[in-house]
Structures are given as C-alpha cells and as structure tokens.
Amino acid sequence: FNVYVNLGRAAMITQSYDKAISAFNNAVKIEPQFYASYNHLLEIYQHQKDHQKYAQTAKQLFDVVKEPRTYILYAMSEYQLGNKDKSREILEEGLKVFPADEAILQNLNALN
C-alpha cells in the first residue's frame, strides 16, 4: 500500500499523471478507507479537467466515507457535470446528517 502511495506521489511530482492514477487506484484497492489516495486522484482529475472521472472518484469516496467534506466533494462533482439539482440534494442530505456544519451550509447557500 505505502509503495503505491509513494509511487503515486512521485509520479505527480514528475507530472506522470497516468502512472500516478494507476498507483493511487492500486492503493485504493488495497486500503479503500485511506482518504489521501482519493484526494490525490481528485487533484489530478481537477488538473486534467476530467469532470467525469472526478465525479466517479468523488462518488467512490462518498460511498466509503460519509463526512461533511465528502458530501461537499460529491456535490461539487455533480455541479461540475451540470447537475445543480443533484448537487443541492446531496448538500441538503449532508445538512440533515451534519446540521451544524458551516461548510455544507455555505456550499448550499452558494447554489441559491
């Protein structure tokens, strides 16, 4: 697992994004709860402006970890795909689970 994470980080530094993606995907397969692997993948897809892969990865992370930030990432990915209603729905669900979370509330207000 650590080898794949370190390989992915090294590949990101050298901008070898295909190698980084492969390494981080292998890390996710071994340790699906490790948040950083998803974060690196999201960073790469954001850099590449690959909104579809960003959305797939955000959803994958959301399915594994339900916390305020994953609601926001998942909602943002849907917004980038043009699914504003789905984005709002995700944030509203997140606010029900985490009613005191300011970041979710701010993102929801930004949609209005």
Side-chain angles (χ1 to χ4, degrees):
F1 166 79
N2 287 330
V3 170
Y4 284 123
V5 172
N6 289 334
L7 179 61
R9 288 178 180 153
M12 282 182 74
I13 290 169
T14 62
Q15 298 181 351
S16 301
Y17 295 119
D18 289 339
K19 289 180 182 178
I21 290 167
S22 177
F24 290 127
N25 279 326
N26 283 325
V28 165
K29 287 176 189 171
I30 295 169
E31 194 66 49
Q33 298 286 333
F34 189 67
Y35 206 104
S37 298
Y38 298 97
N39 281 339
H40 291 306
L41 286 166
L42 290 170
E43 183 180 339
I44 292 167
Y45 295 138
Q46 187 73 25
H47 174 76
Q48 295 178 332
K49 296 181 181 12
D50 190 335
H51 300 304
Q52 193 64 45
K53 292 225 175 161
Y54 185 99
Q56 291 169 350
T57 304
K59 175 69 166 100
Q60 185 181 7
L61 173 59
F62 179 76
D63 289 343
V64 175
V65 179
K66 298 273 195 307
E67 63 182 40
R69 186 162 187 269
T70 60
Y71 278 93
I72 293 167
L73 289 171
Y74 181 31
M76 184 174 70
S77 74
E78 288 296 329
Y79 184 84
Q80 289 176 345
L81 292 174
N83 303 327
K84 188 176 179 181
D85 291 339
K86 178 70 174 173
S87 181
R88 180 179 286 107
E89 178 184 311
I90 294 164
L91 291 170
E92 287 172 349
E93 178 186 327
L95 206 53
K96 288 178 186 172
V97 178
F98 301 100
D101 191 82
E102 286 295 319
I104 292 175
L105 185 58
Q106 287 174 355
N107 279 272
L108 186 57
N109 288 335
L111 285 176
N112 296 325

